[in-house]
Amino acid sequence: MGIPAIIRDDFPILRQRVGGHPLVYLDSAATSQKPRPVLDAMARYYEDDNANVHRGVYSIAERATAAYEAARAKVARFIGAAGPEEVIFTRNATEGLNLVASTWGRAHVGPGDEILVTEMEHHSNLIPWQLLAEARGARLKHIPFDAMGRLALDDLDHLLSDRTRIVALVHVSNTFGTA
Ligand SMILES: Cc1ncc(COP(=O)(O)O)c(C=O)c1O
């Protein structure tokens, strides 16, 4: 089995056929599919440990809290964070970005400062910065894309300045598939 088939095999939902073809799923930024170990862990949690995290002094609540904090520590190691306290779980990208913009952003972005995004951002990585720029008197600047939908990274030299406080950009465009 090749690598794509091995990876595919981890995801039970991809075993089905749609319209006579094996299901191909490309909307992961909106809803990610879960591989078997994640589905199993979720089922195990709901069957054995489901309870209030940090708000219960009985055994299943303590197990739920331990599992939650163990996940935070594991994620911190995975992303190279300095420690688990740097990891904050949010419901989704939109909530996470709004949190950064309304906490770090309000503390560190002031009048005349600049926020740099790209012209290919999803609303979740645009509106929070638009609102922050408006509230703090900052300027929102955009990295443009070319006719092929590729980011014009050569423009970075003149777009970045000593007033740039944050650069927030998409990894891969959801409309063009380019980076
Ligand atoms: C490309 C892309 N980016 C960001 C988001 C926002 O994601 P979330 O629902 O996690 O806030 C979506 C949601 O559809 C998306 O499709």
Side-chain angles (χ1 to χ4, degrees), residues 27 29-31 91-95 122 124 172 174:
D27 205 11
T31 293
R91 271 177 302 185
N92 54 24
T94 307
E95 188 180 71
H122 185 271
S124 58
V172 175
N174 68 310

PDB file of all heavy atoms in Angstrom, residues 27 29-31 91-95 122 124 172 174, ligand 1:
ATOM      1  N   ASP A  27     -12.328  19.642   2.683  1.00  0.00           N
ATOM      2  CA  ASP A  27     -12.822  20.794   3.455  1.00  0.00           C
ATOM      3  C   ASP A  27     -12.324  20.756   4.897  1.00  0.00           C
ATOM      4  O   ASP A  27     -13.048  21.113   5.821  1.00  0.00           O
ATOM      5  CB  ASP A  27     -14.357  20.828   3.403  1.00  0.00           C
ATOM      6  CG  ASP A  27     -14.904  22.231   3.623  1.00  0.00           C
ATOM      7  OD1 ASP A  27     -14.107  23.197   3.614  1.00  0.00           O
ATOM      8  OD2 ASP A  27     -16.129  22.366   3.821  1.00  0.00           O
ATOM      9  N   ALA A  29     -10.285  22.564   6.567  1.00  0.00           N
ATOM     10  CA  ALA A  29     -10.199  23.814   7.339  1.00  0.00           C
ATOM     11  C   ALA A  29     -11.518  24.103   8.033  1.00  0.00           C
ATOM     12  O   ALA A  29     -11.560  24.774   9.069  1.00  0.00           O
ATOM     13  CB  ALA A  29      -9.819  24.976   6.430  1.00  0.00           C
ATOM     14  N   ALA A  30     -12.625  23.607   7.482  1.00  0.00           N
ATOM     15  CA  ALA A  30     -13.934  23.869   8.067  1.00  0.00           C
ATOM     16  C   ALA A  30     -14.305  22.800   9.095  1.00  0.00           C
ATOM     17  O   ALA A  30     -14.692  23.112  10.222  1.00  0.00           O
ATOM     18  CB  ALA A  30     -14.995  23.936   6.971  1.00  0.00           C
ATOM     19  N   THR A  31     -14.193  21.543   8.715  1.00  0.00           N
ATOM     20  CA  THR A  31     -14.430  20.425   9.637  1.00  0.00           C
ATOM     21  C   THR A  31     -13.413  19.347   9.309  1.00  0.00           C
ATOM     22  O   THR A  31     -13.376  18.867   8.170  1.00  0.00           O
ATOM     23  CB  THR A  31     -15.853  19.856   9.455  1.00  0.00           C
ATOM     24  OG1 THR A  31     -16.796  20.838   9.876  1.00  0.00           O
ATOM     25  CG2 THR A  31     -16.059  18.602  10.292  1.00  0.00           C
ATOM     26  N   ARG A  91     -12.666  26.781  20.536  1.00  0.00           N
ATOM     27  CA  ARG A  91     -13.580  25.945  19.745  1.00  0.00           C
ATOM     28  C   ARG A  91     -13.139  25.811  18.302  1.00  0.00           C
ATOM     29  O   ARG A  91     -13.355  24.805  17.664  1.00  0.00           O
ATOM     30  CB  ARG A  91     -14.984  26.569  19.752  1.00  0.00           C
ATOM     31  CG  ARG A  91     -15.834  26.122  20.888  1.00  0.00           C
ATOM     32  CD  ARG A  91     -17.142  26.831  20.834  1.00  0.00           C
ATOM     33  NE  ARG A  91     -16.931  28.283  20.876  1.00  0.00           N
ATOM     34  CZ  ARG A  91     -17.906  29.164  20.947  1.00  0.00           C
ATOM     35  NH1 ARG A  91     -19.150  28.758  20.929  1.00  0.00           N
ATOM     36  NH2 ARG A  91     -17.648  30.450  21.013  1.00  0.00           N
ATOM     37  N   ASN A  92     -12.535  26.885  17.765  1.00  0.00           N
ATOM     38  CA  ASN A  92     -12.193  26.858  16.338  1.00  0.00           C
ATOM     39  C   ASN A  92     -11.218  27.984  16.008  1.00  0.00           C
ATOM     40  O   ASN A  92     -10.831  28.761  16.891  1.00  0.00           O
ATOM     41  CB  ASN A  92     -13.464  26.957  15.488  1.00  0.00           C
ATOM     42  CG  ASN A  92     -14.302  28.170  15.860  1.00  0.00           C
ATOM     43  OD1 ASN A  92     -13.785  29.146  16.393  1.00  0.00           O
ATOM     44  ND2 ASN A  92     -15.574  28.113  15.583  1.00  0.00           N
ATOM     45  N   ALA A  93     -10.842  28.058  14.732  1.00  0.00           N
ATOM     46  CA  ALA A  93      -9.874  29.072  14.297  1.00  0.00           C
ATOM     47  C   ALA A  93     -10.406  30.485  14.549  1.00  0.00           C
ATOM     48  O   ALA A  93      -9.682  31.363  15.020  1.00  0.00           O
ATOM     49  CB  ALA A  93      -9.579  28.890  12.804  1.00  0.00           C
ATOM     50  N   THR A  94     -11.689  30.699  14.257  1.00  0.00           N
ATOM     51  CA  THR A  94     -12.269  32.032  14.402  1.00  0.00           C
ATOM     52  C   THR A  94     -12.181  32.501  15.848  1.00  0.00           C
ATOM     53  O   THR A  94     -11.786  33.637  16.126  1.00  0.00           O
ATOM     54  CB  THR A  94     -13.748  32.011  13.939  1.00  0.00           C
ATOM     55  OG1 THR A  94     -13.787  31.457  12.626  1.00  0.00           O
ATOM     56  CG2 THR A  94     -14.357  33.392  13.928  1.00  0.00           C
ATOM     57  N   GLU A  95     -12.531  31.623  16.784  1.00  0.00           N
ATOM     58  CA  GLU A  95     -12.483  32.002  18.191  1.00  0.00           C
ATOM     59  C   GLU A  95     -11.037  32.238  18.638  1.00  0.00           C
ATOM     60  O   GLU A  95     -10.740  33.181  19.369  1.00  0.00           O
ATOM     61  CB  GLU A  95     -13.122  30.916  19.065  1.00  0.00           C
ATOM     62  CG  GLU A  95     -13.263  31.340  20.503  1.00  0.00           C
ATOM     63  CD  GLU A  95     -13.909  30.262  21.363  1.00  0.00           C
ATOM     64  OE1 GLU A  95     -13.259  29.241  21.625  1.00  0.00           O
ATOM     65  OE2 GLU A  95     -15.064  30.449  21.754  1.00  0.00           O
ATOM     66  N   HIS A 122      -9.227  34.005   4.656  1.00  0.00           N
ATOM     67  CA  HIS A 122     -10.598  33.681   5.043  1.00  0.00           C
ATOM     68  C   HIS A 122     -11.048  34.748   6.041  1.00  0.00           C
ATOM     69  O   HIS A 122     -10.215  35.346   6.733  1.00  0.00           O
ATOM     70  CB  HIS A 122     -10.579  32.295   5.706  1.00  0.00           C
ATOM     71  CG  HIS A 122     -11.908  31.752   6.069  1.00  0.00           C
ATOM     72  ND1 HIS A 122     -12.511  31.986   7.280  1.00  0.00           N
ATOM     73  CD2 HIS A 122     -12.758  30.956   5.385  1.00  0.00           C
ATOM     74  CE1 HIS A 122     -13.659  31.356   7.329  1.00  0.00           C
ATOM     75  NE2 HIS A 122     -13.841  30.720   6.191  1.00  0.00           N
ATOM     76  N   SER A 124     -12.145  34.562   8.861  1.00  0.00           N
ATOM     77  CA  SER A 124     -11.746  34.295  10.253  1.00  0.00           C
ATOM     78  C   SER A 124     -10.397  34.941  10.575  1.00  0.00           C
ATOM     79  O   SER A 124     -10.112  35.233  11.727  1.00  0.00           O
ATOM     80  CB  SER A 124     -11.689  32.789  10.519  1.00  0.00           C
ATOM     81  OG  SER A 124     -10.773  32.181   9.627  1.00  0.00           O
ATOM     82  N   VAL A 172      -2.182  27.881   3.348  1.00  0.00           N
ATOM     83  CA  VAL A 172      -2.522  27.575   1.960  1.00  0.00           C
ATOM     84  C   VAL A 172      -3.886  28.216   1.692  1.00  0.00           C
ATOM     85  O   VAL A 172      -4.782  28.111   2.517  1.00  0.00           O
ATOM     86  CB  VAL A 172      -2.633  26.049   1.721  1.00  0.00           C
ATOM     87  CG1 VAL A 172      -3.102  25.754   0.306  1.00  0.00           C
ATOM     88  CG2 VAL A 172      -1.306  25.350   1.968  1.00  0.00           C
ATOM     89  N   ASN A 174      -7.579  28.774   0.667  1.00  0.00           N
ATOM     90  CA  ASN A 174      -8.704  27.849   0.489  1.00  0.00           C
ATOM     91  C   ASN A 174      -9.428  28.080  -0.829  1.00  0.00           C
ATOM     92  O   ASN A 174     -10.218  27.263  -1.267  1.00  0.00           O
ATOM     93  CB  ASN A 174      -9.696  27.950   1.662  1.00  0.00           C
ATOM     94  CG  ASN A 174     -10.418  29.270   1.694  1.00  0.00           C
ATOM     95  OD1 ASN A 174      -9.796  30.312   1.617  1.00  0.00           O
ATOM     96  ND2 ASN A 174     -11.731  29.233   1.809  1.00  0.00           N
TER      97      ASN A 174
HETATM   98  C1  LIG B   1     -10.322  28.059   4.823  1.00  0.00           C
HETATM   99  C2  LIG B   1     -10.968  28.288   6.148  1.00  0.00           C
HETATM  100  N1  LIG B   1     -10.289  28.978   7.078  1.00  0.00           N
HETATM  101  C3  LIG B   1     -10.844  29.213   8.282  1.00  0.00           C
HETATM  102  C4  LIG B   1     -12.109  28.770   8.602  1.00  0.00           C
HETATM  103  C5  LIG B   1     -12.684  29.082   9.951  1.00  0.00           C
HETATM  104  O1  LIG B   1     -12.636  27.948  10.683  1.00  0.00           O
HETATM  105  P1  LIG B   1     -13.343  27.737  12.081  1.00  0.00           P
HETATM  106  O2  LIG B   1     -14.685  27.162  11.791  1.00  0.00           O
HETATM  107  O3  LIG B   1     -12.402  26.774  12.742  1.00  0.00           O
HETATM  108  O4  LIG B   1     -13.424  29.043  12.779  1.00  0.00           O
HETATM  109  C6  LIG B   1     -12.849  28.039   7.679  1.00  0.00           C
HETATM  110  C7  LIG B   1     -14.207  27.569   8.000  1.00  0.00           C
HETATM  111  O5  LIG B   1     -14.990  27.180   7.171  1.00  0.00           O
HETATM  112  C8  LIG B   1     -12.261  27.778   6.416  1.00  0.00           C
HETATM  113  O6  LIG B   1     -12.923  27.082   5.476  1.00  0.00           O
END
